Amino acid sequence: MKNTTHLNTKILTKNSLYALLSSRFSQEEKKLSDIPSPALLQDASHAAKRIAHAINNKEKITLVGDYDVDGVSSTAIMVDFFRQIPYPLEAIIPNRFKDGYGVSPTVLERVDADLVITVDNGIAAVAASKICKERGIDFIITDHHTPGDILPHATYIVDPKLSTCTYPFKEICGAQVAWLLLGLVKKELHLSINMKQFLDILAIAIIADIMPLIDINRTLVREGLKVLMTSNRPSSIIIRDFLNKSVITSEDIAFQIAPRINSAGRLEDASIALDFYTAKDTHAAFKQFELLGQLNNLRKETEAECTKEALTCGDANADVIVVSGEGWHEGVVGIVAARLVEHFGRPAIVLSIENGFAKGSARSIGEVSIYELIKANDSYLSKFGGHKMAAGLGLKEENIDAFREAINKTASKLDKEDFIPKESISGTLQTEDIDLELLSLLEQFEPYGEANLRPTFLVENAEVVNIKLMGADKSHSRIEIRQNPHERKTLELIAFRTVYTMPHDRKITCSYTVAKNEFNNKVSAQLLVNKIY
């Protein structure tokens, strides 16, 4: 038997589980009316006045978004809002491969406007802000990323992470900043646009950008998922049809919808995802969604190949895993970094090298701020940006080894406790307690996600009765277990992306979560394996 003394083997009843989950929330659930006023965002009121002025004076407005889910969602909300005024808006989402990240000088070459607005990027756009100033273009930045030491010279910067911004809740995504700003634009122009209609897209952005699901984020995701269930937006109708569930959860979005929307910007061009969001009829939305599905399958293949190679390069003894490879697909390095974090239990940086230059993504674990670690070693870098759990960076190939050594030296000074993953096991459930009543108990604490993780349970030393491989390529396992020798009832564990073979002692110890499974109008509790010990 493996040593599982570090795991929580306390037996939970439904009552004790309810008490445990309730204790996560110190205050009452917020309502939409409790969301702090957007006017509390520094410079948001001034920015809204400038946008309203541009509209009233028929100025040319260009919007620059970003190619991830948050960036595309922010852009889609803006595009839809301007369509309803109605007012022409040129929306550009940079191409990851041709333009790089954000409002770069390359992007500005094709911009002819009086006013440029950014969403989900811009806080590091120092070069772009100079170009706008030289060309006499007003420049409004809306972002949620951590500012560097030098701020761009913009007309207005709306970013809750500015040290001088007093917005009461800082952990919001780019789409939220854009949505809050549009609320002020609506007031300035005396429009009757209902801001609640955008909550379906907003919820997807908050979930996909791994914002903590507490405080106003919790409220917006909960209400946004309701809007998603009823909205007549063509893209939302397609999402509903695809998921085919009576209730859509945050995990459905995180695992099934967000990767599809993300795949466009990762592998081809994010305009495919934007066209899906802003499609005017379900036929057009369906066409784009099909395309996103194909790209997502290609992304999975590319990612699997790259992960295989990256795993062989990682140093298991390092505090920060830094790997690089020639020709690794730039669009999947972020996901590969996440896989390395899972495998090594350490922050990971994955770099793709092309023509002597490396571009990459970083992912973190526990309480380690990967942003601060990278920032402390930025002398080796050409560029970087991001936040505590994820970042992007670029450097010359010749600097990789020195950077790897330096970042590990910095990380070695951190408290070892900081590296412990946040996922903690809540306890053990009795077999008879895993039922529909448990599902409805768990549902009361939705939405689950960052800072409100779905509870994880332990099954220890259970008897493996049977194993079946599932999926077209037989890459998933269905494991039938008996928790205690005297029990007649067995449980079924699903282990995705795992080919599990019968252990010699026919015993298993693993952690799992409980999810709702709807199939042929039948609802059951599904046990999803997190980790096999």
Side-chain angles (χ1 to χ4, degrees), residues 333-383:
V333 289
I335 311 171
V336 175
R339 297 274 178 262
L340 296 194
V341 171
E342 260 173 48
H343 181 85
F344 292 104
R346 285 283 178 266
I349 297 172
V350 178
L351 301 161
S352 159
I353 303 168
E354 199 178 329
N355 303 325
F357 193 77
K359 272 200 245 177
S361 276
R363 294 292 181 272
S364 198
I365 194 168
E367 285 302 322
V368 176
S369 170
I370 195 70
Y371 177 81
E372 292 301 333
L373 281 177
I374 291 170
K375 191 182 177 191
N377 298 285
D378 64 357
S379 57
Y380 298 96
L381 309 176
S382 315
K383 57 180 180 180

Side-chain angles (χ1 to χ4, degrees), residues 230-251:
T230 56
S231 172
N232 59 5
R233 185 190 305 282
S235 59
S236 291
I237 293 169
I238 297 298
I239 289 172
R240 282 203 299 275
D241 285 356
F242 172 74
L243 291 172
N244 189 24
K245 291 179 73 181
S246 56
V247 176
I248 293 173
T249 68
S250 48
E251 288 122 323

Side-chain angles (χ1 to χ4, degrees), residues 148-253:
D149 297 330
I150 302 166
L151 283 177
H153 196 90
T155 315
Y156 299 112
I157 299 176
V158 184
D159 185 335
K161 297 269 173 64
L162 286 171
S163 59
T164 45
C165 180
T166 56
Y167 195 72
F169 188 69
K170 304 254 179 206
E171 294 302 318
I172 57 177
C173 69
Q176 283 167 280
V177 179
W179 179 73
L180 289 166
L181 176 62
L182 289 176
L184 294 171
V185 173
K186 169 194 162 171
K187 263 188 183 167
E188 284 295 326
L189 294 169
H190 309 292
L191 300 167
S192 60
I193 294 172
N194 178 4
M195 297 308 290
K196 200 178 165 182
Q197 67 178 295
F198 305 109
L199 294 187
D200 49 350
I201 298 180
L202 198 57
I204 294 171
I206 296 168
I207 295 162
D209 224 45
I210 319 177
M211 291 294 109
L213 294 191
I214 53 173
D215 206 278
I216 63 171
N217 290 352
R218 187 169 172 73
T219 310
L220 286 166
V221 168
R222 192 184 59 232
E223 295 303 319
L225 292 173
K226 285 182 198 165
V227 172
L228 184 59
M229 286 305 294
T230 56
S231 172
N232 59 5
R233 185 190 305 282
S235 59
S236 291
I237 293 169
I238 297 298
I239 289 172
R240 282 203 299 275
D241 285 356
F242 172 74
L243 291 172
N244 189 24
K245 291 179 73 181
S246 56
V247 176
I248 293 173
T249 68
S250 48
E251 288 122 323
D252 295 326
I253 300 299

Side-chain angles (χ1 to χ4, degrees), residues 451-467:
N452 178 38
L453 295 174
R454 184 176 278 278
T456 304
F457 305 105
L458 179 72
V459 60
E460 191 174 28
N461 240 14
E463 179 198 341
V464 180
V465 179
N466 191 14
I467 301 166

Side-chain angles (χ1 to χ4, degrees), residues 111-150:
V111 169
D112 173 29
D114 303 298
L115 174 64
V116 168
I117 306 166
T118 73
V119 285
D120 190 34
N121 76 94
I123 201 65
V126 177
S129 70
K130 282 180 185 158
I131 294 168
C132 284
K133 199 169 189 297
E134 283 160 16
R135 288 176 55 191
I137 299 169
D138 275 359
F139 187 39
I140 292 173
I141 292 169
T142 81
D143 203 347
H144 73 119
H145 293 99
T146 309
D149 297 330
I150 302 166

Side-chain angles (χ1 to χ4, degrees), residues 71 95 149 295 389 422:
N95 181 289
D149 297 330
L295 284 171
M389 298 310 286
K422 280 182 188 166

